[in-house]
Amino acid sequence: MKKGIWIPIVVLIALGGGVAMAFALNGSDDIALTDDFTSSFLDPEVEIDEGFHYFQSEKNNFSMWFPAGYYLSDDPVQYESKRHFESLNMYEKNVNESGFRGHIQLKYRDNMTEHRAHLQLNRLLEDLSYEQQYEQLQTDEVTIYYGSSYFTLKDKKGVTYDPNDHFANRYFALVQSNDTEEFIVITYRLACKDGVACEINNDQESRFFDTLIQNIRFRK
């Protein structure tokens, strides 16, 4: 984890880090900290990278890095926490400088066999991938299956394109524990304001999603 270093805010903005540091320096501007429901899951004592907060699930099934500028929905339809199942929806409060808002959906499951985990992966690929394309990352603790695609409507029908030819507006991952029968499915969708075309930086959003999925930790 990075240790904090004091640098004038003007310099940080010049370096392109102004948005993330603004959240870190002025918590009153960050919905993640001002929203009572969202902030109840955050631990400000745990030091992580700027632009994120340390998040622990209600049942202590998992922890993750929660993005600044997002809030956790407390709608019973969009939030559920049980011993073996948790479902969360996280929304970006404001339209960002690129003209879109993000929506992150996360579902935790345990007591899942290898077979059921692969069924879930296949379902994820059918729903969100381009021609079943995905990548795999193996660590000591987890195996991550992840990918992205560009989705749009053409003649009132949904069409999925290769994200290498278009910017990606949907990211997906299945994070599977190597030691326990647990996994998390996480999706990240980008919606342009009022349906108007907007510019999305593939490299930036890919790094953001990678940060999310690579900092999920199972707690059991």
Side-chain angles (χ1 to χ4, degrees):
M1 294 184 184
K2 297 181 180 179
K3 295 184 178 180
I5 302 175
W6 188 88
I7 303 174
I9 188 65
V10 174
V11 176
L12 287 168
I13 292 174
L15 292 175
V19 174
M21 185 55 70
F23 283 126
L25 294 181
N26 189 355
S28 63
D29 293 333
D30 188 353
I31 185 66
L33 299 177
T34 59
D35 180 75
D36 289 340
F37 185 69
T38 305
S39 62
S40 67
F41 298 91
L42 307 181
D43 186 349
E45 299 302 318
V46 179
E47 186 179 13
I48 58 175
D49 287 358
E50 288 90 0
F52 293 90
H53 307 286
Y54 183 80
F55 174 97
Q56 189 165 298
S57 71
E58 181 176 337
K59 295 296 186 291
N60 197 29
N61 290 317
F62 65 92
S63 65
M64 63 177 289
W65 288 13
F66 191 97
Y70 279 71
Y71 66 92
L72 179 64
S73 175
D74 61 355
D75 186 329
V77 177
Q78 300 194 48
Y79 176 82
E80 186 175 359
S81 180
K82 297 181 178 179
R83 181 181 178 186
H84 301 293
F85 175 79
E86 294 195 62
S87 179
L88 290 68
N89 282 271
M90 295 157 266
Y91 294 93
E92 193 168 16
K93 179 185 178 183
N94 299 313
V95 174
N96 59 42
E97 59 185 6
S98 297
F100 67 87
R101 279 192 178 99
H103 169 215
I104 300 167
Q105 185 178 66
L106 182 150
K107 292 185 177 182
Y108 163 88
R109 298 291 299 271
D110 74 355
N111 291 334
M112 292 285 107
T113 63
E114 186 77 17
H115 174 68
R116 294 184 68 180
H118 280 287
L119 288 177
Q120 181 63 60
L121 175 61
N122 289 335
R123 187 176 301 115
L124 194 62
L125 295 174
E126 289 174 4
D127 292 341
L128 296 174
S129 74
Y130 171 71
E131 295 185 349
Q132 306 286 304
Q133 293 181 7
Y134 70 94
E135 296 185 59
Q136 182 175 333
L137 174 65
Q138 185 89 30
T139 73
D140 291 339
E141 298 178 350
V142 299
T143 303
I144 305 175
Y145 309 89
Y146 65 100
S148 62
S149 65
Y150 173 73
F151 177 84
T152 190
L153 293 176
K154 186 175 182 180
D155 299 328
K156 298 182 179 181
K157 294 183 179 180
V159 183
T160 300
Y161 292 99
D162 189 336
N164 294 314
D165 298 330
H166 303 73
F167 63 81
N169 58 9
R170 304 191 304 181
Y171 292 81
F172 61 89
L174 187 147
V175 183
Q176 183 178 9
S177 170
N178 293 335
D179 302 318
T180 60
E181 294 183 335
E182 300 172 276
F183 67 74
I184 281 175
V185 171
I186 183 168
T187 61
Y188 173 46
R189 291 178 170 86
L190 292 65
C192 296
K193 182 181 179 182
D194 301 324
V196 179
C198 57
E199 292 295 326
I200 296 177
N201 185 313
N202 268 355
D203 291 338
Q204 179 176 307
E205 299 312 317
S206 179
R207 288 195 300 270
F208 172 78
F209 190 65
D210 287 347
T211 299
L212 287 178
I213 62 179
Q214 292 182 31
N215 286 286
I216 291 172
R217 299 291 183 270
F218 295 101
R219 308 292 294 175
K220 293 183 178 179

